[in-house]
Amino acid sequence: MLWILLVLAYGVLKGAREIAKKKALQKNTVIEVLVFYTFLSFAMVIPDAGNAIGIEKKLLLPIAFKSFVIFVAWICSFIAIKKMPISVVGILDMSRVIFATLIGYLLLHEEPSAQKITGLVFVCAGLLLLKWAGSKGKNNDKSRDEHIEIKYVIMVFISCIFNAMSGVLDKLLMKHTSSSELQFWYMLFLVCFYLLYVIITKTSLNVKSLIKNYWIWLLSIIFVVADRCLFIANGIPESKVTVMTLIKQSGCIITILGGRFVFHEKNIGRKLMCAGLIIAGIVIAVL
């Protein structure tokens, strides 16, 4: 089915995006990266302005709300990515499956089946085993992955809850608008929120450094392409939010491998086993 392939493409690109975020944050602050990244992403969808102007005005408020939800989610996730091992963030991020499933059942009345519930149990088991994945090695030496402050874990969960809310809003909004219209207005509101944040907090931006940070440029391209795939998938009537959220998490494998080969993180084998359980849950729920 087309919508499954589109969401799978989104998941893979999402995994690559997490790696690009971590690299970008090594050169600039969280707010600097967020502001420039959002501005570049919006610049790429400006060609859709002509079509987007014709959107129903009553949709602007819910789109602005979606943008605010993502505004908060991104701040939390970017702070966590900067401070935590990317492989751990990638696995914790899968918890959005739980939140999206609950929201999908409560708000969209998507009927739970024994198959989907079984898949969700596997997802939860993989998340719970993440603690074991970062346990002491045979020499009783702590790996650097264990030095994680609980506040950053909480930030990942907050980001997951808000991203799950955004996923449901996408499904609802795509019943009344096109992918290009939604992406244009959503990005425009997001730019406004980050600019307001910079003005209110009087945050300074190192523009010269940002322009030279090519990871942000790559991040923006990946984001625009991935989101367009997701919006198109949401516009297909047969698509299900709960199943889509499960498929998205396939990108975790990309994130974990990036942690090993790009950032040289430890305990990757154990983390892959945790991710394997979660992917098994995804397969069970989707097939």
Side-chain angles (χ1 to χ4, degrees), residues 167 170-171 174-175 229-237 239 241 244:
D170 286 344
K171 184 65 178 176
M174 282 303 299
K175 293 179 180 179
C229 289
L230 188 60
F231 290 152
I232 293 173
N234 271 299
I236 298 175
S239 62
V241 168
M244 289 174 70

Side-chain angles (χ1 to χ4, degrees), residues 48 51 77 82 129 141 204 261 285:
D48 293 323
N51 294 328
S77 67
K82 188 176 180 71
L129 284 175
D141 294 325
S204 60
F261 295 108

Side-chain angles (χ1 to χ4, degrees), residues 111-120 284:
E111 291 297 327
S113 63
Q115 193 170 335
K116 288 181 181 177
I117 292 174
T118 302
L120 195 60
I284 291 171

Side-chain angles (χ1 to χ4, degrees), residues 11-246:
V12 174
L13 289 170
K14 178 179 176 294
R17 193 171 71 195
E18 300 304 295
I19 298 170
K21 286 178 187 177
K22 184 81 171 176
K23 295 296 288 186
L25 289 166
Q26 290 178 343
K27 299 183 178 182
N28 292 97
T29 67
V30 168
I31 295 302
E32 283 180 330
V33 172
L34 277 171
V35 171
F36 194 53
Y37 161 49
T38 307
F39 175 78
L40 285 178
S41 300
F42 174 66
M44 293 178 191
V45 300
I46 286 179
D48 293 323
N51 294 328
I53 296 300
I55 194 173
E56 292 183 63
K57 298 299 181 284
K58 66 179 182 180
L59 295 175
L60 294 179
L61 185 58
I63 293 175
F65 177 68
K66 169 189 163 57
S67 296
F68 181 75
V69 166
I70 291 298
F71 164 74
V72 176
W74 281 6
I75 288 178
C76 291
S77 67
F78 272 64
I79 291 174
I81 287 171
K82 188 176 180 71
K83 298 293 184 179
M84 295 171 64
I86 193 68
S87 54
V88 173
V89 174
I91 297 176
L92 287 175
D93 186 66
M94 288 184 170
S95 64
R96 72 172 67 185
V97 172
I98 300 170
F99 303 122
T101 299
L102 292 175
I103 294 173
Y105 292 154
L106 292 174
L107 298 184
L108 301 181
H109 308 293
E110 294 184 356
E111 291 297 327
S113 63
Q115 193 170 335
K116 288 181 181 177
I117 292 174
T118 302
L120 195 60
V121 169
F122 273 76
V123 172
C124 293
L127 288 170
L128 291 173
L129 284 175
L130 182 58
K131 179 177 174 60
W132 166 76
S135 62
K136 296 180 181 180
K138 61 182 179 181
N139 295 325
N140 239 23
D141 294 325
K142 286 188 176 182
S143 74
R144 63 184 177 183
D145 287 1
E146 289 186 290
H147 300 284
I148 300 170
E149 294 184 46
I150 188 65
K151 65 180 179 181
Y152 298 126
V153 175
I154 293 173
M155 284 185 177
V156 175
F157 286 139
I158 291 173
S159 173
C160 289
I161 292 171
F162 276 69
N163 273 304
M165 289 173 57
S166 175
V168 174
L169 287 169
D170 286 344
K171 184 65 178 176
L172 295 173
L173 288 167
M174 282 303 299
K175 293 179 180 179
H176 308 285
T177 185
S178 67
S179 59
S180 59
E181 289 173 338
L182 177 56
Q183 194 167 35
F184 175 84
W185 286 105
Y186 148 57
M187 291 306 305
L188 175 58
F189 284 125
L190 203 52
V191 168
C192 293
F193 284 133
Y194 282 116
L195 288 179
L196 281 173
Y197 179 91
V198 169
I199 293 170
I200 293 171
T201 60
K202 298 180 180 179
T203 303
S204 60
L205 304 175
N206 188 339
V207 178
K208 185 176 180 180
S209 174
L210 286 168
I211 292 174
K212 291 182 178 180
N213 191 342
Y214 59 86
W215 287 103
I216 303 178
W217 294 82
L218 177 61
L219 188 58
S220 300
I221 294 171
I222 294 174
F223 169 69
V224 171
V225 174
D227 260 24
R228 184 59 61 91
C229 289
L230 188 60
F231 290 152
I232 293 173
N234 271 299
I236 298 175
E238 295 80 14
S239 62
K240 299 286 186 181
V241 168
T242 49
V243 177
M244 289 174 70
T245 304
L246 289 169

